[in-house]
Amino acid sequence: MAEHETLRVVIAEDFAILRDGLVQLLADRGFAVLQSIADPVSLERTVAADHPDVAVVDIRMPPTFTDEGLRTAIGLRHDYPDVRILVFSQYIETYAAELLAGAAAGIGYLLKDRVADVGDFVEAPVRVASGGTALDPEVVIQLMGASRRTDAVVGLSNREREVLAHMAEGRTNSAIAASLVISEGAVEKHVANIFAKLDLPSTPTDHRRVLAVLRYLEG
Amino acid sequence: MVYLDRRMMRLLLAPDAAASRVQRLEESRSLTLYAATATLQRIERNLHDGTQAQLVALAMRLGQAKEKLDHLGVVPGSDTALETVRHLVDEAHRGTKEAIADLRDLARGIHPPALDTCLANALWTLAARSPVPTEVTVSVPSRPTQTPAIEAICYFCAAELLATSTSTPRRRTPRLPVPSTAPGSGSWSGTTAEAVQRRTPASAPPRAAWPAWQTGCVPSMAA
């Protein structure tokens, strides 16, 4: 399991048991864990010094335990656009989802629960590192619920919205097909329709997937 | 003459016994409210930093154990002892994930963590989670930093109203306008703040210690 050995990761989580667990899990899966830290100031210092591929960041960290991690992550995105960010938290908050979704590609926002399904969880830093998205299903539900959707998205059929929601989570066509119990060909057709309806330029497919998701999330 | 004037002023303008009593009651009520809010916030924070985090770490370990067992590659049914272990680990894994979700709902009901950032953030999440589309308008230019209880009161009132409007079918979109000049808002920096300052020891400042960026809302959301 050394397929991610080139990915250099830092972990910012203030709860020691979880932090050590994450370090062990990611190291076990072939990631190079450069540093594990417990506060936003150390995170900024580490990113500046080491330039990791991905920073895994807990939202609530010292000193006030509100959303320091989120603020730091958004600052890092601005200062180091090539460092991808995977934010995780006990709660999904709509304002955080909107802030992160508006930040561009290469972003992830997961509930902490997702580390329980280790196989899926370790895929998230890989997707984020390659410029994709790794959004929690809960994030997608909330962003759909936040009634700020525009006409562009309203034009999509229910099935197309479902497919787009799965794309937002960062899933491949085959994974979407398995989840919705339809054929991969049907998924491809829906994806093509989504691209057409959202009027997305013809570029390599993966890039268009990210654009579709962003347009969707931006409302 | 001056003496008489003073007597008259005191007699006519000073608060009488009833007014003093009302003021004392207002102060003690504010204190109780503050203490209750602070306690709820502390309980949520303890859950978050303690039990919730431990459960997540536990679920991760069980998830790893589950994967290792799956990778053993034993044909189902060929080794009953291993099958039993696999079954037990599966159940423990699922149960832990359910406990995390349940605990999150419980903690959110005690004190929504987004309230720590600002009322608007908490209301946006509340509206986004609502099964019916909901419009939120918040115009609170600065936070009532010294009386955080008022934010929790607004939040739970909104949550209750939203729950009621969700259970009663309506054609109109529920709206949650939160003006900055709600009745009674003039007392935001009044008696409660003074009472809190008296009550709270200097070593443990209350929420007045919010950093400056938390006293307003996230700019992109205020638009």
Side-chain angles (χ1 to χ4, degrees):
Chain A
M1 277 180 256
E3 67 265 39
H4 315 308
E5 61 192 346
T6 49
L7 275 191
R8 301 158 68 251
V9 179
V10 297
I11 296 166
E13 159 64 56
D14 60 295
F15 186 65
I17 298 173
L18 190 54
R19 185 172 65 242
D20 295 345
L22 283 170
V23 171
Q24 197 216 332
L25 172 67
L26 293 181
D28 189 40
R29 297 305 182 102
F31 292 87
V33 182
L34 306 178
Q35 290 272 0
S36 66
I37 49 248
D39 66 276
V41 177
S42 307
L43 172 64
E44 281 174 349
R45 202 179 303 136
T46 305
V47 169
D50 295 342
H51 266 77
D53 296 314
V54 180
V56 181
V57 183
D58 179 19
I59 284 192
R60 275 168 91 167
M61 280 201 286
T64 69
F65 298 94
T66 52
D67 59 359
E68 281 84 351
L70 176 71
R71 301 274 161 184
T72 309
I74 288 164
L76 289 175
R77 274 213 66 94
H78 181 261
D79 295 342
Y80 308 93
D82 51 336
V83 176
R84 309 301 193 188
I85 308 282
L86 176 62
V87 166
F88 74 143
S89 172
Q90 291 278 12
Y91 304 89
I92 297 295
E93 305 293 356
T94 308
Y95 82 99
E98 298 222 4
L99 273 178
L100 289 167
I107 203 84
Y109 183 15
L110 296 178
L111 267 179
K112 277 191 179 175
D113 309 24
R114 307 306 169 200
V115 301
D117 297 309
V118 285
D120 290 345
F121 179 73
V122 294
E123 288 298 314
V126 181
R127 282 209 299 269
V128 167
S130 63
T133 52
L135 298 180
D136 199 277
E138 178 77 9
V139 172
V140 178
I141 290 168
Q142 283 199 22
L143 290 176
M144 284 169 88
S147 48
R148 304 202 311 133
R149 306 278 73 88
T150 59
D151 296 342
V153 187
V154 171
L156 300 180
S157 72
N158 283 342
R159 187 55 113 181
E160 284 159 3
R161 279 160 181 257
E162 278 177 357
V163 171
L164 192 49
H166 280 81
M167 280 165 64
E169 289 167 27
R171 294 184 187 279
T172 60
N173 282 0
S174 55
I176 296 172
S179 169
L180 296 179
V181 203
I182 52 176
S183 73
E184 212 173 319
V187 174
E188 278 166 22
K189 215 172 74 187
H190 288 309
V191 171
N193 285 344
I194 292 166
F195 288 160
K197 285 188 182 173
L198 295 183
D199 197 21
L200 289 173
S202 180
T203 55
T205 312
D206 275 351
H207 187 49
R208 278 214 289 180
R209 287 176 88 86
V210 173
L211 282 178
V213 167
L214 289 176
R215 176 137 339 156
Y216 169 64
L217 295 179
E218 281 162 4
Chain B
M1 199 60 191
V2 175
Y3 173 77
L4 269 179
D5 272 356
R6 277 191 185 154
R7 283 294 301 257
M8 287 294 282
M9 271 164 65
R10 206 164 290 162
L11 208 62
L12 294 171
L13 301 176
D16 60 10
S20 301
R21 187 169 157 73
V22 166
Q23 195 189 346
R24 274 202 308 279
L25 283 173
E26 274 181 356
E27 283 183 7
S28 68
R29 192 186 56 180
S30 299
L31 257 179
T32 312
L33 203 59
Y34 168 76
T37 309
T39 305
L40 291 177
Q41 190 191 13
R42 198 176 60 245
I43 291 170
E44 189 278 330
R45 198 158 281 188
N46 288 346
L47 282 176
H48 178 272
D49 297 339
T51 320
Q52 279 180 304
Q54 278 173 348
L55 278 176
V56 168
L58 178 63
M60 182 172 67
R61 292 280 185 236
L62 284 168
Q64 284 173 291
K66 194 167 165 277
E67 279 220 330
K68 297 276 183 212
L69 282 171
D70 288 344
H71 285 150
L72 285 180
V74 179
V75 180
S78 68
D79 185 337
T80 47
L82 191 61
E83 276 299 297
T84 311
V85 171
R86 193 179 299 208
H87 183 68
L88 288 171
V89 170
D90 264 7
E91 267 189 0
H93 184 240
R94 199 167 39 246
T96 312
K97 287 201 290 184
E98 283 169 10
I100 294 170
D102 286 353
L103 194 56
R104 175 171 39 249
D105 288 345
L106 178 71
R108 205 198 297 272
I110 292 170
H111 175 85
L115 263 185
D116 291 347
T117 62
C118 76
L119 175 63
N121 286 344
L123 288 178
W124 271 309
T125 301
L126 180 71
R129 291 167 56 84
S130 160
V132 290
T134 306
E135 211 175 280
V136 186
T137 318
V138 182
S139 52
V140 182
S142 65
R143 299 188 68 178
T145 44
Q146 295 188 313
T147 52
I150 196 76
E151 289 189 316
I153 291 167
C154 277
Y155 175 87
F156 284 110
C157 284
E160 194 58 37
L161 286 169
L162 204 53
T164 312
S165 90
T166 307
S167 60
T168 337
R170 278 161 201 263
R171 272 185 298 173
R172 284 180 54 191
T173 302
R175 303 176 76 187
L176 291 177
V178 181
S180 58
T181 49
S185 63
S187 66
W188 274 12
S189 57
T191 54
T192 311
E194 290 156 17
V196 166
Q197 278 162 5
R198 278 207 302 276
R199 167 86 177 269
T200 315
S203 57
R207 297 262 292 273
W210 272 319
W213 55 261
Q214 282 182 9
T215 55
C217 264
V218 183
S220 73
M221 295 300 298

